[in-house]
Amino acid sequence: MNSSLAGFLQALALVGALALSYRPLGDYIAHTLTSRKHLRIERGIFKLIGVDGDAEQTWGAYLRSVLAFSFVSVLFLYGFQRLQEHLWLSLGFPAVTPAMAWNTAASFVTNTNWQSYSGESTMGHLVQMGGLAVQNFLSAAVGIAVVAALIRGFTRNKTDHLGNFWVDLTRITLRVLLPISFVFALVLVAGGVVENLHAAQIVHTLSGATQSIPGGPVASQEVIKQLGTNGGGFYNANSAHPFENPNPFTNLLAIYLMLVISFALCRTFGKMVGSHKQGYTILSVMGLYWIASASLITFFEHQHSGIAAQIAGAAMEGKEVRFGIPGSSLFAASTTLTSTGAVNSMHDSFTPLGGGTAILNMMFGEIAPGGTGSGLYGILILAVVTVFVAGLMVGRTPEYLGKKLGAREMKFASLYILTTPAIVLCGTGLAMSLKAGHGGGMNNTGPHGFSEVLYAFTSAANNNGSAFGGITVTSTHWETALGLAMLFGRFLPMVFVLALAGSLAKQAPVPESTGTLRTNTPLFVGMLSGVILIVVGLTYFPALALGPLAEGLH
Amino acid sequence: MAKPLPTALRNHLTGLRLLLLFTVLCGLAYPLLVTGISQVAFSSQANGSLVKGKDGTVVGSSLIGQNFTTTSADGKTVSPDPKLFQSRPSAAGADGYDPTASAGSNKGTNDAGLATTYTQLKAAIAKFNDVSQSQVPPDAITESGSGLDPDISPAYAAIQVNRVAQARGLTDAQVQALVAKYTQSRTLGFLGEPRVDVLNLNIALTKLG
């Protein structure tokens, strides 16, 4: 069997597995978000934290809870890293420097998991599992909670109530993320991922040199890193490291885990709004972009353009033999389209157009299928914009899922769309102009060096977390700038999403008429796909032209 | 009666309490439970799939690649050991294959230095194995993503068979048989790429004599 056919079958197996879990998982999450009954352990938790599990919040209260929780999380994680030398299992590592600890705290709380540190030489086991991995669970749950509030905005009428953030957060973590993680962590260990509390073990190699074999509770962190679309590797090489991702099976499982919740949330959405077709429409757009992107990256990497790759005979720089081109490309497409940002191959060494596609994937705003929760709210905002654009053409007040989209709603949607590009483009522009502080971190020269900077800001603002890893981002300038990009890129859009949800929930439903644009048809799939490409994609075209396109079309 | 706390402060306290609860649950109970079960049920994998050499001591992990080198009598030059199969080049640490510094080169494919390195490596590897340059496969000259890649392609193993056989005084067929034994095909026939596990192959070679 040749490599391309095997790669195709691998993608097919992945699609099959995702299709099988779509309905049960989506329905289960919908049940989790709508059930009136609390589990006993949940009642206990609500009592301990002093929350009435049956009380509902307005959009403002919901938002304040999100922000308060995240603020406390950043402080806590910052302190955790700064104190690590005094803690159990520190492995003798000193306290993380202030700039790096700030950047890492912002990174893990925003579900970005950008890593300016190198795991195996910076973080002790306790900080990894008790600090970083905890945010892997919670930041993922926050994303799902926010999209739950947005969906309730569509389904509820004439109310201020959008649910309760504390209840949503607790339930998603306890009922969805923890059980799935537990099962697949054991599967990963069986497959060869390490899970222990050892410090590095020194061995004498076959040739008599010494090698230090690292330890760590890796599998338990690895699984939620993918499932929660986080992406922060236990080790520096992330999922390319054989202890995180030892074989082709664990590789496919990793890709499956990073996609499964975000795709299944379309089912959750369909179920909650009472029309599975609405869910399938969104799913189709996500699926189209995902398939197109995976095919493109695989194609470009197989083509291996570029001087060095031509000499080598294949674009194997930065790729592992066990994954090859197909396993690396499928992973790269999925990780940049889901806001995961884990890497099993080094994107910096991809072909110019292959790496460029990875950047473009993130620029679409992480919506195909995107991060847990954030992917769905991102694409729903774009659906709102699409309905609005279509409404303009026929001169009617647009409506989506029975709610009118007036000036107020469109303002929030527009602000959402503008936030991330503003952060990415201003951040990149500033970095390039302040050469001493920022552009100085580039590993490559020319257009490829520019791509490294563009990638960094795109990744941070879209909360992806992968990198063109050659760039050096440990200066205080970079740590601060990217930390801010991550925080603004995460929480400003959430403000607009929740404000929109509040304004939708207040409305009375509009009965469907003959003039209503039907949003559950192939036509709408095409329109939404087009709007994503034009509104979002074209925003970045000039920047892409300076980097990957300039290099790739050279 | 004490004055109720302002809402903003109450929100943050609720957040802190929930965070602490989940730190215990997701950050301690969950990983420790998984570690406990793994140590009992999958002890070898959980501890790094360590492998032993001829004399029974641990020589590494079957998942982590190594340098297979020989040091000259004066201890000054380190060169590839002709008696052992060679791994891919590695960007992990100064000498390569350092698990405390896992990394790829992160060089772009249009990097001029990278092209020069490839050309030189290709010539050196062809000479070392006494084959033509066109026979040197891509993985032989490229650095992996982790810098710890435990595998090489069957093509790279194939061009090393004759060299290893001659250096060890074995027949090509004997070495070939061992290579075949440590070659893994695609999982289930379609997952990943065929590959040769270099460390285990080399251990088997040293056991052979």
Side-chain angles (χ1 to χ4, degrees), chain A residues 1 3 6 9-10 13 45 48-49 51 64-65 68-69 71-73 76 120 129-130 134-135 137-138 166 169-170 173-174 178 181-182 186 189-190 192 194-198 201 203-207 211-212 214 220 223 236-237 240-243 248 252 305-309 311-312 314 316-322 324 326 346 348-349 352 443-444 448 469-470 551, chain B residues 11-12 14-23 25-28 30-35 37-39 42 45-48 50 58-61 63-69 84 88 97 99-111 114-115 118-119 122 138-139 141-146 148-153 186-187 189-195 202-203:
Chain A
M1 187 183 302
S3 178
L9 289 176
Q10 170 173 269
I45 289 178
L48 278 173
I49 64 171
V51 162
R64 283 192 295 276
S65 302
F69 182 70
F71 178 71
V72 170
S73 296
F76 182 80
E120 59 261 45
M129 64 181 188
V134 171
Q135 284 307 322
F137 281 96
L138 299 176
W166 307 110
L169 182 71
T170 306
T173 310
L174 281 184
L178 256 179
S181 297
F182 179 72
L186 292 176
V189 180
V194 299
E195 180 76 16
N196 59 60
L197 298 176
H198 306 163
Q201 184 181 346
V203 299
H204 291 276
T205 66
L206 214 52
S207 297
Q211 194 180 34
S212 110
S220 53
V223 64
N236 187 48
H241 197 295
F243 277 0
L252 193 67
S305 70
I307 305 162
I311 296 173
M316 280 302 285
E317 184 74 24
K319 295 191 180 72
E320 304 285 302
V321 167
R322 60 193 182 282
M346 298 303 138
D348 210 346
S349 300
N443 179 44
N444 287 274
H448 197 76
E551 191 190 354
Chain B
N11 244 342
H12 286 84
T14 305
L16 181 63
R17 271 180 286 190
L18 192 59
L19 177 63
L20 291 175
L21 269 174
F22 276 126
T23 300
L25 204 61
C26 305
L28 288 172
Y30 156 74
L32 294 180
L33 183 64
V34 174
T35 305
I37 297 175
S38 306
Q39 288 293 329
F42 310 107
Q45 295 99 311
N47 292 310
L50 301 176
V58 172
V59 293
S61 159
L63 296 177
I64 305 265
Q66 298 186 355
N67 289 314
F68 300 102
T69 52
L84 294 172
R88 300 175 67 185
Y97 290 98
T100 63
S102 64
S105 73
N106 283 311
K107 294 251 170 62
T109 179
N110 287 317
D111 184 284
L114 190 61
Y118 281 1
T119 312
K122 206 170 197 172
D139 62 298
I141 57 174
T142 51
E143 291 175 335
S144 65
S146 61
L148 305 174
D149 198 337
D151 303 310
I152 55 175
S153 66
R186 293 192 173 96
T187 313
F190 65 92
L191 288 182
E193 295 293 313
R195 58 202 193 275
N202 282 337
I203 292 174

Side-chain angles (χ1 to χ4, degrees), chain A residues 160-182:
Chain A
D160 286 336
H161 292 164
L162 287 177
N164 185 312
F165 170 71
W166 307 110
V167 174
D168 289 336
L169 182 71
T170 306
R171 283 190 180 179
I172 294 157
T173 310
L174 281 184
R175 298 194 198 180
V176 182
L177 301 177
L178 256 179
I180 302 180
S181 297
F182 179 72

